[in-house]
Amino acid sequence: MTQEALHSTPLPKTGSTLRSALYDPRIRGIFFQVLTVLVLVGGIWWIVDNTIANLARSNTASGFAFLRGRAGFEVGQSLISYSSDSTYARALVVGILNTILVAVTGIITATIIGFIVGIGRLSHNWLIAKLCTVYVEVFRNIPPLLVIFFWYSGVLAVLPQPRESVHLPFSMFLNNRGLAFPKPIFEPGMWVVLIALIVGVIAAIATTRWAHKRQAATGQPFHTILASIALILGLPVLAFLVTGVPVTFDVPVAGKFNLTGGSVVGPEFMSLYLALSFYTAAFIAEIVRAGIRGVAKGQSEAASALGLHPSSVTRLVVVPQAFRIIIPPLTSQYLNLTKNSSLAIAIGFADLVSVGGTTLNQTGQAIEIVLIWIAVYLGLSILTSLFMNWFNAKMALVER
């Protein structure tokens, strides 16, 4: 290479190299990822170090050993045996079970009401459509805590005293202390009925799958609903009769001043259950309405052209297709209802947050209690999401 060629070759500039590296998407992405990790690790280290210093300064022992201590407080409603001599761990289990009870019963009731109201909003009957619209607009625009107070203070609190209880069918009584109903007392032979119920459910699932395969292969339908009802109800009833009716009932009896016997569902649970059910149902109704609107109009027109009754068109054609639109947002409403159950502390219902708050006040173990709250609600949310994702996959269209 000549001397003139050496002088004419441009030398690389450091500034341009740095500038090109700065604008390189790959290098820039790595830089921001590393920066994010450092900030995150630094934040966690600061929180942990600050927490340890505060615990040492207040002489508070960390750990979950306090769960073995005596709780020393009563719980208004419990699905398992509990007394003030039970441990904190058992008290928290009571709170978790009460939270699950509110979530499960609320989800079932809200789904039923939401589907009825959602379909009602699309009714050709002017009165039904307007009533459903008013229901949705009222409950959607009221805070859930206000709905809870409405049921607790405005409805259940004004019911009559126990000595003037409203006598309902099947030996049930309703008053301002709750709903009293006969308490079942199971005898040893009841396990046979439970096994018969499980066998009936498994047989119903197997029959439904067989019927679908048979219809796909031959085109011949099979009444799976009647067969499933016969299996799920018939087998347990048969086992119930064969074992000699292995259950008795402790019936509540109206006394001069109070009721004796039976079981009682307190007004705290009833108000929370009703409030969350009616509140969430308003949102589910809109999801159902939107899902039905999302089904192509030609589907219902084609079904009507085949001579199907309008109710059959809705039940067999429109709603099954709308499910694919309804299920994803429906999952969010189920999660919201489960998390909104923590509002039970406002009316004194012994859910997880209420029992955990009492435990926190007595032991001072704030970090541990908060971790338990997080773990339980996170676990319930994940389980709900997994189930709904599985159900959504079962309802999805299968590509051929």
Side-chain angles (χ1 to χ4, degrees), residues 69 109 120 161 166 190 241 270-271 285 292 326 329-330 332 380-381:
T109 306
Q161 297 290 329
V166 179
M190 195 64 189
L241 297 175
M270 292 179 62
S271 57
I292 293 175
I326 293 171
L330 189 64
S332 298
L380 292 177
S381 298

Side-chain angles (χ1 to χ4, degrees), residues 119-388:
I119 295 175
R121 287 204 65 184
L122 301 174
S123 173
H124 297 294
N125 186 301
W126 182 88
L127 180 60
I128 293 177
K130 293 304 178 183
L131 286 176
C132 293
T133 300
V134 171
Y135 169 85
V136 170
E137 294 301 327
V138 168
F139 279 96
R140 278 205 313 167
N141 293 286
I142 297 178
L145 186 60
L146 183 59
V147 182
I148 294 174
F149 285 144
F150 165 76
W151 283 103
Y152 186 69
S153 302
V155 177
L156 300 179
V158 299
L159 291 174
Q161 297 290 329
R163 64 173 176 267
E164 301 173 350
S165 299
V166 179
H167 194 180
L168 301 176
F170 307 107
S171 299
M172 295 189 297
F173 296 88
L174 182 64
N175 53 61
N176 59 3
R177 295 186 182 178
L179 176 66
F181 58 93
K183 178 182 179 181
I185 301 175
F186 301 109
E187 297 178 2
M190 195 64 189
W191 64 271
V192 179
V193 180
L194 181 60
I195 292 177
L197 176 61
I198 296 174
V199 172
V201 172
I202 295 175
I205 295 174
T207 302
T208 302
R209 291 184 175 181
W210 169 81
H212 288 167
K213 291 181 180 179
R214 175 173 176 262
Q215 185 173 1
T218 64
Q220 298 179 356
F222 185 80
H223 296 290
T224 56
I225 296 179
L226 296 178
S228 298
I229 293 175
L231 290 170
I232 296 175
L233 297 181
L235 287 179
V237 170
L238 180 62
F240 185 77
L241 297 175
V242 169
T243 54
V245 191
V247 62
T248 58
F249 291 93
D250 179 15
V251 180
V253 178
K256 188 174 182 180
F257 299 102
N258 205 346
L259 298 174
T260 58
S263 295
V264 178
V265 177
E268 295 83 10
F269 170 79
M270 292 179 62
S271 57
L272 182 66
Y273 156 71
L274 292 172
L276 294 182
S277 298
F278 279 85
Y279 176 79
T280 308
F283 293 89
I284 293 177
E286 283 298 274
I287 293 173
V288 171
R289 186 177 70 91
I292 293 175
R293 287 293 192 191
V295 177
K297 190 176 181 180
Q299 295 290 315
S300 57
E301 291 176 347
S304 299
L306 293 174
L308 290 178
H309 190 271
S311 61
S312 299
V313 173
T314 302
R315 180 171 56 89
L316 300 176
V317 178
V318 177
V319 172
Q321 296 185 69
F323 261 123
R324 303 181 181 98
I325 305 173
I326 293 171
I327 292 174
L330 189 64
T331 304
S332 298
Q333 295 305 319
Y334 289 169
L335 298 178
N336 289 338
L337 189 148
T338 302
K339 291 178 286 188
N340 285 338
S341 65
S342 61
L343 295 172
I345 193 173
I347 55 174
F349 179 68
D351 77 319
L352 174 63
V353 174
S354 178
V355 174
T358 304
T359 303
L360 189 154
N361 291 332
Q362 294 187 181
T363 62
Q365 304 291 333
I367 296 175
E368 291 80 0
I369 295 298
V370 172
L371 288 177
I372 292 174
W373 286 342
I374 294 173
V376 171
Y377 281 108
L378 183 61
L380 292 177
S381 298
I382 290 175
L383 289 176
T384 304
S385 299
L386 289 176
F387 173 77
M388 293 301 293

